[in-house]
């Protein structure tokens, strides 16, 4: 196995997480991931050898945009998949907060959600995110700011019901 193939395999967990944030569905995310990997292998010669992670994330983003354009007429309603919640959440309060955060992220517009995921979760810089999404750095900053303000508003104390024991 070549070094590049191994590097692609090492990126699968990050790409899967990003695909789930884009598609909001485990099933669709797996399809997007598979399409991305297939596309990357088929176009391996076009990789310039600088940043494989950014290159593959860009492929995934473009594939997702193409899929969205195809399905624009009938946008699917995708419920939050509660079976995918983190098994490490032991506290009921923590589980409620986790669910509320996931629900708030689901409500973000796709452009804000993708910027938030790339910067806050995947750790890309503003410049790398701008390059991946093919938008100006100022747009990245603006979308990230709007996403953060939206999440702060959605997750403020007024919107989260605290569970208390009845002892």
């Amino acid at each position: 196995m070549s070094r590049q193939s191994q590097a692609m395999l090492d990126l699968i967990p990050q790409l899967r997480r990003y695909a789930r944030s884009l598609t909001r569905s485990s099933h669709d995310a797996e399809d997007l991931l598979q399409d991305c990997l297939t596309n990357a292998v088929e176009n391996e010669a076009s990789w310039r050898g600088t940043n494989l992670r950014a290159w593959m994330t860009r492929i995934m983003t473009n594939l997702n945009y193409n899929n969205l354009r195809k399905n624009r007429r009938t946008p699917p309603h995708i419920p939050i998949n509660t079976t995918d919640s983190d098994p490490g959440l032991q506290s009921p309060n923590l589980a409620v907060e986790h669910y509320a955060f996931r629900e708030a992220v689901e409500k973000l517009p796709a452009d804000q959600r993708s910027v938030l995921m790339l910067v806050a979760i995947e750790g890309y810089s503003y410049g790398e995110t701008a390059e991946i999404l093919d938008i100006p750095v100022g747009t990245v900053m603006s979308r990230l700011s709007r996403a953060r303000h939206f999440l702060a508003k959605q997750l403020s104390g007024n919107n989260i019901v605290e569970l208390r024991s009845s002892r």
Side-chain angles (χ1 to χ4, degrees), residues 4 20 24 33-35 42 44-46 50 60-61 63 65-67 72 106 119-121 132 138 147-148 156 166:
Q4 186 172 345
R20 289 197 54 182
R24 302 180 190 175
L33 176 61
Q34 182 175 349
D35 291 345
E42 289 173 355
E44 194 170 349
S46 69
T50 54
M60 181 173 285
T61 300
L63 288 169
Y65 285 151
N66 291 342
N67 290 340
R72 188 174 290 165
E106 294 278 330
V119 173
I121 305 299
I132 289 167
R148 287 178 173 162
S156 68
S166 58

Side-chain angles (χ1 to χ4, degrees), residues 85-166:
S85 64
D86 185 352
L89 297 175
Q90 302 297 326
S91 162
N93 286 347
L94 190 56
V96 168
E97 290 173 9
H98 177 74
Y99 178 80
F101 177 77
R102 285 182 56 180
E103 190 174 64
V105 170
E106 294 278 330
K107 291 178 182 176
L108 282 170
D111 59 348
Q112 292 177 24
R113 190 174 55 253
S114 62
V115 168
L116 179 73
M117 294 305 294
L118 288 171
V119 173
I121 305 299
E122 298 302 330
Y124 285 105
S125 69
Y126 292 173
E128 290 170 325
T129 301
E131 184 179 324
I132 289 167
L133 298 176
D134 196 25
I135 57 177
V137 173
T139 303
V140 169
M141 295 167 64
S142 174
R143 288 179 183 176
L144 184 60
S145 176
R146 285 194 305 260
R148 287 178 173 162
H149 281 88
F150 178 82
L151 291 176
K153 183 177 178 184
Q154 290 293 307
L155 300 173
S156 68
N158 298 335
N159 291 324
I160 296 178
V161 177
E162 291 196 26
L163 299 177
R164 299 185 180 173
S165 63
S166 58

Side-chain angles (χ1 to χ4, degrees), residues 22 51 59 73 102 138 147:
L22 291 174
N51 187 341
I59 290 171
R73 291 188 181 159
R102 285 182 56 180

Side-chain angles (χ1 to χ4, degrees), residues 50-64:
T50 54
N51 187 341
L52 182 64
R53 186 174 116 176
W55 181 69
M56 292 188 68
T57 304
R58 176 77 182 256
I59 290 171
M60 181 173 285
T61 300
N62 289 340
L63 288 169
N64 184 61

